[in-house]
Amino acid sequence: MTLPARPVPQPLRRLVLILGDQLDAASSAFDGFDADQDAVWMAEVAEESTHIASSQPRIAMFLAAMRHFGAELSARGWALHYTRLDDAANTGTLGGELARAVEALRPQALVLTAPGDWRVLQALRSQARALGVPLELRDDRHYFATVRDFAAHARGRKSLRMEYFYREMRRRHRVLMDGDQPAGGQWNFDADNRQSFDPRTGPPPVPAPLRFAPDAITRDVIALVRERFAAHPGALEDFDWPLTREQALAALADFIAHRLPDFGRWQDALWPAQPWLWHSRLSAALNLKLLNPHEVVAAAEAAWRKGQAPLASAEGFIRQILGWREYVRGIYWTQMPAYAQANALNAQTPLPAFFWHGNTDMACLRDALTQTLRLGYAHHIQRLMVIGLYALLLGVRPREISDWFLAVYVDAVEWVELPNVIGMSQFADGGLMASKPYIASGKYIERMSAGRFCASCRYDPAQRTGERACPYTTLYWDFLLRHEALLAANPRTVMQVKNLARVDAPERQAIQTQAQALREEAA
């Protein structure tokens, strides 16, 4: 349906295409926009929720944020051609809706900021060619680095490592720098940022993040998602995400003031039924472009320079945005489309069915999965070292676990999700993105949760075989056995492999037998 604040101009010079993760009125797509000659196109289509089985929170996040942004554009007096999901004539695909719009509006040209999904870019380019309408693709200046910048950084290097790219970004953008040197005399403070909670008292008091009660627009979306996607995983009772630029800025200010000061020391800690802790809850707003990473990084650095947060916290948070976020985007766009099929470890186990409902006896994994399905959220350690770790050790097919991550999280856009899973979590790219597989036994989770998960679990992380053996521990030792040659050749994992020397032949056989039983049970 068309919801213009003014009629679509005729003749129409440019139709500006805005996707669900491009909700930024300062986007490059709007450069040179003339309300007397141009119009905006937005479309809600079923394909974007069904090409993978998107969770209800993720679908609601995108649709509600899109509708709020559309209302903002209309309030500016811009002509907006907006198709709702439940419009009777909706074709269900971006290509189909673009074709309908071009036929009705006859634009002389299409303008698009580069999408965050290789599949979407190919679909829109193909449709524009088929329609015979020029498509102008513009850089997304939301990021600190262009894809060309990353390609130049990668050119000629035998291996890619985030740390070197991060330092380059720090120098180029003058972030946390004192002259030519990093603030505090070191580039990162990881050693200061790995604390776990006191097992007797648990997490210290932490202010809860701002919540944003659904307004009328969001309530309509929630009702639509519940009706249209009732069979999809997830729940919407706790849906309270920032959906507008104003709300996102309030969420940023809240994090900087109340949780950034202790973010660093507790960023890797786990605790049952505590989804937020000191985490920012800003990733979805960033990935939908309601926030700009430049302003987020600037706010964190300003807090440190004003003495409102320690350097270790500011650096740890900035590293996630200026370092990892930019790095994974560069990996994605320089490696696609082949990257999506990477499977260097030849993992062939199907994704366990319980990933879609969370019913498992493993206390830590049950907590992370059920939280994910309820909220559409898990923090980075839950994703990497609880959920991702189990999939890696079990040997789940990388594309299946990657599609699951894309489906369930409200902040999931393929450019950021795919490399984080394929490369960082599953080591399926053979080490292109990360220098080693991130593997650990159940003892790691016990340590980072101060033993709280293990105390209520039927399994013992210290045991690798037997009825009470922790599946993480069994599968960890099995992983070492299955990939011994690969791990022994890597300086960062050679010490882990050396521990196999104290495991005799009967014990090795028992580990592998129990691990195989776990895989067969998952299948």
Side-chain angles (χ1 to χ4, degrees), residues 83-106:
T83 303
R84 291 183 181 240
L85 187 72
D86 50 354
D87 284 351
N90 192 325
T91 62
T93 69
L94 289 173
E97 285 312 295
L98 181 58
R100 283 208 307 137
V102 168
E103 181 180 0
L105 305 177
R106 302 295 178 186

Side-chain angles (χ1 to χ4, degrees), residues 334-401:
T334 57
Q335 301 300 318
M336 285 295 283
Y339 196 78
Q341 305 305 323
N343 190 359
L345 299 180
N346 193 30
Q348 297 297 340
T349 303
L351 181 75
F354 67 75
F355 269 58
W356 296 106
H357 51 69
N359 294 331
T360 172
D361 288 338
M362 290 171 276
C364 58
L365 187 54
R366 180 175 64 246
D367 182 82
L369 291 175
T370 55
Q371 171 194 304
T372 291
L373 296 169
R374 179 169 62 90
L375 301 175
Y377 172 84
H379 62 71
H380 67 279
I381 293 299
Q382 290 176 303
R383 297 191 202 197
L384 177 65
M385 297 306 296
V386 179
I387 299 172
L389 174 61
Y390 187 76
L392 172 63
L393 298 179
L394 191 67
V396 172
R397 295 169 187 148
R399 192 58 193 262
E400 289 191 26
I401 185 62

Side-chain angles (χ1 to χ4, degrees), residues 17 51 91 126 135 180 188 217 242 336 349 351 414 450 484:
L17 314 183
H51 75 95
T91 62
S126 176
L135 172 63
D180 295 331
N188 75 67
I217 292 176
M336 285 295 283
T349 303
L351 181 75
E414 192 176 79
E484 183 173 1

Side-chain angles (χ1 to χ4, degrees), residues 61-103:
M61 180 79 200
F62 277 79
L63 296 187
M66 287 175 67
R67 291 190 182 187
H68 281 91
F69 188 67
E72 177 190 332
L73 296 181
S74 290
R76 289 175 175 232
W78 293 1
L80 173 63
H81 186 85
Y82 191 109
T83 303
R84 291 183 181 240
L85 187 72
D86 50 354
D87 284 351
N90 192 325
T91 62
T93 69
L94 289 173
E97 285 312 295
L98 181 58
R100 283 208 307 137
V102 168
E103 181 180 0

Side-chain angles (χ1 to χ4, degrees), residues 438-461:
Y438 280 81
I439 54 172
S441 72
K443 296 294 287 183
Y444 170 85
I445 296 172
E446 181 184 39
R447 181 171 70 254
M448 295 313 299
S449 66
R452 185 53 65 101
F453 284 117
C454 302
S456 63
C457 187
R458 62 170 285 191
Y459 300 113
D460 181 352

Side-chain angles (χ1 to χ4, degrees), residues 197-427:
F197 301 124
D198 186 321
R200 298 163 299 179
T201 59
V206 53
L210 278 182
R211 301 186 63 180
F212 301 92
D215 62 7
I217 292 176
T218 304
R219 290 194 297 272
D220 285 348
V221 167
I222 288 173
L224 173 64
V225 172
R226 282 175 169 158
E227 177 183 356
R228 181 75 177 267
F229 301 101
H232 284 230
L236 292 167
E237 286 74 16
D238 298 302
F239 190 86
D240 63 352
W241 293 93
L243 298 169
T244 66
R245 168 100 176 130
E246 181 181 16
Q247 290 177 343
L249 287 170
L252 170 61
D254 174 70
F255 167 68
I256 296 294
H258 298 121
R259 297 188 303 289
L260 177 63
D262 283 321
F263 168 80
R265 65 191 298 204
W266 304 125
Q267 66 173 310
D268 286 0
L270 299 162
W271 199 258
Q274 291 290 331
W276 313 120
L277 295 170
W278 280 264
H279 294 277
S280 71
R281 220 172 81 124
L282 298 175
S283 55
L286 276 165
N287 292 351
L288 270 62
K289 314 296 169 54
L290 301 174
L291 287 175
N292 189 295
H294 295 76
E295 66 191 341
V296 176
V297 166
E301 179 168 7
W304 166 65
R305 294 200 179 273
K306 294 175 184 176
Q308 297 168 353
L311 179 56
S313 284
E315 189 280 323
F317 178 65
I318 287 171
R319 166 181 289 264
Q320 293 187 353
I321 298 171
L322 182 60
W324 280 113
R325 191 169 185 269
E326 298 285 327
Y327 181 69
V328 299
R329 178 173 180 259
I331 293 284
Y332 180 82
W333 283 111
T334 57
Q335 301 300 318
M336 285 295 283
Y339 196 78
Q341 305 305 323
N343 190 359
L345 299 180
N346 193 30
Q348 297 297 340
T349 303
L351 181 75
F354 67 75
F355 269 58
W356 296 106
H357 51 69
N359 294 331
T360 172
D361 288 338
M362 290 171 276
C364 58
L365 187 54
R366 180 175 64 246
D367 182 82
L369 291 175
T370 55
Q371 171 194 304
T372 291
L373 296 169
R374 179 169 62 90
L375 301 175
Y377 172 84
H379 62 71
H380 67 279
I381 293 299
Q382 290 176 303
R383 297 191 202 197
L384 177 65
M385 297 306 296
V386 179
I387 299 172
L389 174 61
Y390 187 76
L392 172 63
L393 298 179
L394 191 67
V396 172
R397 295 169 187 148
R399 192 58 193 262
E400 289 191 26
I401 185 62
S402 177
D403 284 350
W404 182 87
F405 271 90
L406 182 61
V408 297
Y409 291 112
V410 297
D411 57 11
V413 182
E414 192 176 79
W415 69 263
V416 66
E417 174 275 327
L418 188 75
N420 268 312
V421 177
I422 295 291
M424 182 75 170
S425 171
Q426 301 302 297
F427 203 70

